[in-house]
Amino acid sequence: MIDGMDVIAVLNAAREAVTHARSAGGPSFLICNTYRFGGHYVGDKQNYKDRAEADSWNKKDPIIKLGQVLNGLGVNGAALDRIDGKVRSTISAAVAFARQSPETTADQLETYLYAY
Amino acid sequence: MPIDREIPYRDAIIEALAEEMRADSNVVVIGEDVGAAGGVFKQTEGLFKEFGAKRVIDTPISESGAFGMAVGAAMMGLRPVFEVMFGDFLTLVMDQLVNQAAKVHYMSAGRARVPLVLRTTMGLGGNLGPQHSQAFYAWAAHVPGLKVAIPATPGDAKGLFKAAIRDDNPIVIFEDRMLYTLLGEVPSGDHVVPLGKARIALAGRDITIIAFGRMVHRATAAAVELASNGIEAEVIDARCLTPLDRDTILESVRRTHRALVIDGAPRDYGVTGEIAATIGEEAFD
């Protein structure tokens, strides 16, 4: 049973299980308790979630948590912000690429249907 | 290529597998009882002895799990030949086959490939029961992204298997169990039959009979009988449902002006309807 909101804990447990499997020790089950932040579809209002419960999980966001761990290991705030900025610019570039790409045309319907 | 011998349909498939496994170390055979047992119908006999347990892999009776692993292995560069013992149990791998294997190349804009062959048996006969006799090729042929082959002769069994193993798409090959012992000419060398090319099994000028699998032999026998009544029937073995060689079918029907499509599977919403529609739309003025 692993805290699935803890990146380091999941990494260590997964490493151990993989090593075990590779040394012919057989399969392992990892139970990683976690939380699904997003909804089932784009625009899902998630009315089925309890707001207070969702907020409590938001505070356990594994990315924030990992940042705190790195901070404790001496990685300063500026370095973490740089990582943050890099991720944001990657996402913005992908969104921009999607928005600028032309709509596919009818004759492209079967492109990539089969590998040649 | 010299044709120097006759071997059974089943042996022709094993020969194709063995040759491709020797030529490419990424080719592996996966399935239930495919290993030391050599297949319930002896359809993988000898492969385990030559290639060992790392390349002839027995799985538990969990088709969806095992086939899912084969799809992943194919995406990572192996070329698995996965056996589903009875075509009836395609139901158990349909999600991995239809929603994963057939979609990955399209959804990844060609970045991921699934070079995988799913081989399965089908057809009535042998008193195997209602869940071991059905022929579901129409299901597979209806899914964009899959290819479907149905070899009718030992030579085509070898040649289509070799082409399928070398193809970078997921391909389902239906083998009629009742053909396993059928003898036929099979070239001993690197005999490859391209996917999507029909074969004129018998030339004729009065009517075109389109068939596949076991029905090719029934059609040919019927054509011989018709000949004694002065009717020359042309028999076309479709060989592949996807891609379907429409050109060969249409060229023949334009010549004979008559067509008969036969199939051993249920007719409604099946393969015969598709072929008949193609003929109706394109072969007649």
Side-chain angles (χ1 to χ4, degrees):
Chain A
M1 197 84 82
I2 300 133
D3 178 2
M5 306 300 275
D6 183 339
V7 176
I8 307 287
V10 173
L11 178 69
N12 286 338
R15 251 188 202 144
E16 196 183 320
V18 169
T19 307
H20 191 67
R22 287 196 173 133
S23 57
S28 312
F29 280 101
L30 298 182
I31 300 174
C32 306
N33 290 325
T34 186
Y35 185 76
R36 176 171 166 172
F37 292 112
H40 183 58
Y41 56 91
V42 175
D44 184 353
K45 291 193 175 69
Q46 303 189 57
N47 291 331
Y48 45 81
K49 277 184 181 175
D50 179 70
R51 210 29 60 202
E53 191 199 17
D55 286 345
S56 80
W57 281 99
N58 284 340
K59 289 191 190 97
K60 297 178 196 163
D61 186 325
I63 295 174
I64 298 169
K65 220 165 154 179
L66 182 65
Q68 288 162 354
V69 171
L70 289 173
N71 205 239
L73 292 170
V75 180
N76 63 31
L80 292 174
D81 286 345
R82 264 204 308 281
I83 296 172
D84 219 38
K86 228 167 127 183
V87 173
R88 277 176 205 285
S89 71
T90 303
I91 294 169
S92 314
V95 171
F97 172 78
R99 290 216 166 111
Q100 285 157 19
S101 297
E103 289 289 329
T104 43
T105 53
D107 65 339
Q108 290 175 298
L109 184 65
E110 294 187 358
T111 309
Y112 301 122
L113 187 53
Y114 291 97
Y116 294 101
Chain B
M1 201 169 298
I3 293 172
D4 44 23
R5 78 244 156 96
E6 288 198 336
I7 61 171
Y9 185 100
R10 170 172 36 212
D11 298 39
I13 296 172
I14 295 171
E15 187 167 280
L17 294 172
E19 286 178 13
E20 292 307 298
M21 290 176 85
R22 279 177 213 130
D24 183 351
S25 61
N26 287 321
V27 179
V28 295
V29 170
I30 307 173
E32 291 161 16
D33 291 336
V34 296
V40 282
F41 302 109
K42 302 288 173 205
Q43 69 273 46
T44 49
E45 199 164 56
L47 296 178
F48 185 80
K49 198 175 167 206
E50 179 174 349
F51 300 101
K54 286 204 166 164
R55 295 186 62 199
V56 185
I57 303 160
D58 270 324
T59 73
I61 306 180
S62 175
E63 285 83 354
S64 59
F67 185 66
M69 283 192 271
V71 175
M75 287 170 66
M76 297 306 288
L78 288 184
R79 308 185 81 81
V81 177
F82 188 93
E83 182 185 307
V84 173
M85 198 183 284
F86 292 91
D88 310 69
F89 302 135
L90 281 183
T91 51
L92 300 170
V93 305
M94 276 309 243
D95 180 57
Q96 301 289 353
L97 180 67
V98 175
N99 291 326
Q100 312 303 335
K103 301 284 185 290
V104 168
H105 186 265
Y106 193 80
M107 288 175 67
S108 69
R111 286 183 198 178
R113 288 170 182 238
V114 185
L116 178 145
V117 176
L118 192 166
R119 68 179 294 206
T120 193
T121 65
M122 64 160 189
L124 294 168
N127 299 324
L128 292 168
Q131 290 98 348
H132 290 68
S133 305
Q134 298 168 90
F136 286 147
Y137 37 74
W139 288 3
H142 188 64
V143 179
L146 297 181
K147 292 185 182 180
V148 179
I150 308 178
T153 66
D156 284 348
K158 177 174 176 178
L160 289 169
F161 256 89
K162 286 177 79 98
I165 290 168
R166 294 177 195 184
D167 196 285
D168 275 351
N169 296 284
I171 295 158
V172 188
I173 301 184
F174 288 86
E175 302 158 29
D176 192 325
R177 279 181 301 277
M178 302 310 278
L179 296 178
Y180 272 159
T181 55
L182 176 77
L183 278 170
E185 290 176 343
V186 179
S188 54
D190 190 30
H191 169 60
V192 180
V193 173
L195 301 166
K197 293 271 176 238
R199 176 181 70 97
I200 297 183
L202 191 70
R205 61 179 184 196
D206 296 323
I207 180 171
T208 302
I209 305 177
I210 300 110
F212 41 90
R214 188 192 307 187
M215 290 302 156
V216 172
H217 305 288
R218 296 278 177 93
T220 308
V224 168
E225 235 175 279
L226 286 173
S228 65
N229 294 316
I231 298 166
E232 287 182 31
E234 177 148 296
V235 178
I236 294 182
D237 174 1
R239 297 205 282 204
C240 283
L241 301 183
T242 316
L244 179 66
D245 184 358
R246 289 184 162 85
D247 292 345
T248 297
I249 294 169
L250 293 173
E251 186 279 322
S252 175
V253 178
R254 284 184 188 127
R255 241 186 316 108
T256 62
H257 306 293
R258 296 181 189 88
L260 176 69
V261 190
I262 62 169
D263 182 6
R267 190 181 76 163
D268 291 9
Y269 307 101
V271 172
T272 48
E274 177 63 28
I275 296 174
T278 299
I279 293 168
E281 284 168 354
E282 298 182 46
F284 295 112
D285 301 328

